[in-house]
Amino acid sequence: GSVTNLASRLCSDAEPWQILVTERVFSAAGPLAVAEDAGVRVLRGFSRNVHAYDIKGIDNARIGS
C-alpha cells in the first residue's frame, strides 16, 4: 500500500547509512529519537511533499530500565 511505497521512496532518497523517516514516525518515537531535520522531499507517486527527518540515534539517557 501507500505506507510501504512511502517507506521505499524514503529509502531510495536516503544516502548510504542514512535513515529517513516521516514526521509522523519521528513524532511517534517521542523524545527517544535523536534526529535532524532533513527537509521537505518531493517523492515520486505522492501528490504531497513529505517532511523527512534523518535519524541519528537514540537518546540513551531517556531509556527506562
Side-chain angles (χ1 to χ4, degrees):
S2 65
V3 173
T4 304
N5 190 25
L6 176 57
S8 175
R9 299 286 185 227
L10 284 173
C11 284
S12 294
D13 208 38
E15 298 295 325
W17 297 103
Q18 184 181 39
I19 301 170
L20 293 178
V21 298
T22 62
E23 189 169 15
R24 184 175 180 181
V25 170
F26 178 57
S27 293
L32 292 177
V34 177
E36 291 179 1
D37 190 330
V40 175
R41 307 291 175 117
V42 178
L43 303 175
R44 187 171 57 95
F46 290 87
S47 58
R48 293 183 179 179
N49 296 338
V50 176
H51 192 162
Y53 289 85
D54 179 6
I55 301 296
K56 297 297 186 184
I58 296 173
D59 186 350
N60 290 323
R62 295 185 181 263
I63 296 176
S65 48

